[in-house]
Amino acid sequence: MARLQLTPLSPVLGAEVRGVNLAEGVDDATFAEIHEAWLRHGVLFFKDQPAPMSEAVQTAFARRFGDLHVHPAAPGSGEGDAIFVIHCHRDSKVANGNGWHSDVSCEAEPPMGTMLQLRQLPSCGGDTMFASMEAAYAVLSEEEQAFLQGLSAWHTSEHIYRGRYEDRGVEDAGKVYPKAAHPVVRTHPETGRPSLYINRAFTTAIVGMENGEGDALLKRLLRHVERPEFQIRYRWERFDTAFWDNRCLQHYALWDYWPEERLGHRVTVGGDVPFFDPSAPAPAPSPLRMATPRLRPA
Ligand code: SIN
C-alpha cells in the first residue's frame, strides 16, 4: 500500500514527498518506497515536517542508504562527526555550496547521497538549485557521447578547502586535501543510467588534456550542464528535508539573504569509485530522458 504522496517538481528531476514524519523514524516498507522514488527522481524533499529530526534519527535514516561519510574539511559533530552543520550568518565569509557542485567529488569515493534538514531560514531567499546530469548527457549527440565516454577529469579541492573553515576553528596547516580522476561519463551503480560527471567547483582539468584544448572542452561542458532545462530551484520551508543523489545531480545553494541566517544539519552517505560501464544496457526510458529529447547542447 502506498504510504507516500509524491509530487514531481519537473519532468526532469525532483519530487516533494508527503505522508511521512521523519522525526518518528521510517519503517522498512516506507523506506523501500522512498528508495525507489529517490532513484527515480534524483532528489526528494520531505514536506510538512512538524519538528526537526534528532541527530540520532537523522543519522539512522541516512544509514539505511549506506555507511556515513565524514567531510574531509568541515568540522563534524554528532555520531562519529557525521553531522555537518550548514550555517551562514552576518559574519560568514563564505557560504557552503554557493556554486554548482556534486558533493566532495574530489574524493576517490565521493559520497553517494546528501541529506539536509533546514532548521532556520531567512525571511526569504536561501533556495537551493539542483540539476540533472542524466538529462545533460541524454541531449548530447551520439558522437559526442561516444567521445566523452573515453575521457576522465581531475577533481581537486585544495583551492576550495584551504582555510575555508578557519572561522570554525579548523587549523589545516600541513593537511593534504583530496584529488581524484573520475570518468567524465559516469554509470549510476544502481540504475545503470549514464550521466555527465563534471562540476564547476571541483573539476579543474581533463586528464591528458591539461592544455588549451582541454580547458575549452571543459568550459563548454560546464556551460552545457548548467542549462536551465536540467534544473529545479527549491524554495525551502522550515524542517523540510532534502535527500539528493550526488552520482547523477549537482546543486547550488544560493547566498542571497545576507545578513540573515540560515542553518541546517547535513549528513552524507558514502559512495563508491565512479566508473563508466560500456556494457551497461541502454537505459530504460525514464522521465529524465523523455523530457529533453529535442534539446541541443547550449
Ligand atoms: C550543500 O552544498 O551541501 C549545501 C546545500 C544547501 O545549503 O542548500
Side-chain angles (χ1 to χ4, degrees):
M1 192 186 75
R3 290 163 181 78
L4 306 180
Q5 293 115 50
L6 289 169
T7 310
L9 291 176
S10 97
V12 174
L13 81 160
E16 290 180 346
V17 181
R18 290 181 175 77
V20 55
N21 178 355
L22 296 177
E24 289 177 351
V26 167
D27 62 31
D28 289 347
T30 308
F31 175 72
E33 282 188 40
I34 290 172
H35 192 225
E36 192 276 326
W38 184 61
L39 292 177
R40 187 148 35 96
H41 294 284
V43 53
L44 298 179
F45 302 95
F46 295 87
K47 302 295 297 176
D48 305 332
Q49 300 301 307
M53 283 180 280
S54 66
E55 293 189 352
V57 168
Q58 186 172 356
T59 50
F61 180 36
R63 212 180 304 102
R64 297 188 82 131
F65 292 86
D67 292 339
L68 302 186
H69 165 270
V70 175
H71 197 279
S77 69
E79 183 200 317
D81 277 348
I83 303 273
F84 174 6
V85 177
I86 301 280
H87 191 194
C88 206
H89 48 81
R90 173 181 286 277
D91 299 323
S92 297
K93 302 254 181 320
V94 287
N96 235 88
N98 182 222
W100 283 110
H101 66 289
S102 171
D103 285 326
V104 201
S105 69
C106 53
E107 285 191 333
E109 296 183 355
M112 59 104 113
T114 304
M115 183 181 296
L116 175 64
Q117 182 169 54
L118 285 192
R119 294 172 170 226
Q120 188 173 343
L121 291 171
S123 51
C124 64
D127 298 352
T128 307
M129 298 171 72
F130 294 85
S132 165
M133 294 302 99
E134 289 180 10
Y137 179 75
V139 302
L140 297 174
S141 67
E142 282 184 16
E143 293 73 28
E144 178 134 56
Q145 289 181 351
F147 169 65
L148 296 176
Q149 285 168 12
L151 299 180
S152 298
W154 286 111
H155 295 237
T156 64
S157 60
E158 168 72 27
H159 61 293
I160 294 182
Y161 292 148
R162 179 72 54 202
R164 188 172 187 113
Y165 296 100
E166 208 170 12
D167 60 346
R168 294 208 205 172
V170 175
E171 161 52 65
D172 65 359
K175 182 165 176 142
V176 177
Y177 284 115
K179 164 180 175 170
H182 297 308
V184 167
V185 182
R186 177 175 189 180
T187 302
H188 194 289
E190 292 184 82
T191 67
R193 294 198 293 256
S195 63
L196 282 175
Y197 194 61
I198 49 152
N199 64 81
R200 200 171 281 282
F202 293 107
T203 315
T204 45
I206 305 286
V207 175
M209 290 174 76
E210 288 91 349
N211 54 22
E213 190 194 353
D215 291 348
L217 172 62
L218 187 55
K219 208 166 153 186
R220 180 166 65 76
L221 290 174
L222 290 172
R223 213 170 43 235
H224 167 68
V225 299
E226 294 170 4
R227 188 171 180 148
E229 284 88 347
F230 309 143
Q231 300 173 10
I232 56 168
R233 176 169 173 153
Y234 187 69
R235 178 162 297 176
W236 296 83
E237 293 180 297
R238 193 163 180 230
F239 304 143
D240 279 356
T241 301
F243 187 48
W244 59 86
D245 190 334
N246 288 303
R247 300 166 294 187
C248 56
L249 302 186
Q250 48 182 288
H251 60 284
Y252 184 136
L254 276 75
W255 190 22
D256 54 0
Y257 50 88
W258 187 90
E260 290 193 52
E261 200 166 343
R262 181 178 181 274
L263 183 143
H265 282 195
R266 177 180 127 158
V267 175
T268 44
V269 181
D272 54 5
V273 175
F275 62 91
F276 172 65
D277 179 2
S279 66
S286 78
L288 302 177
R289 282 182 157 254
M290 290 167 70
T292 52
R294 286 173 216 293
L295 280 184
R296 290 288 164 262

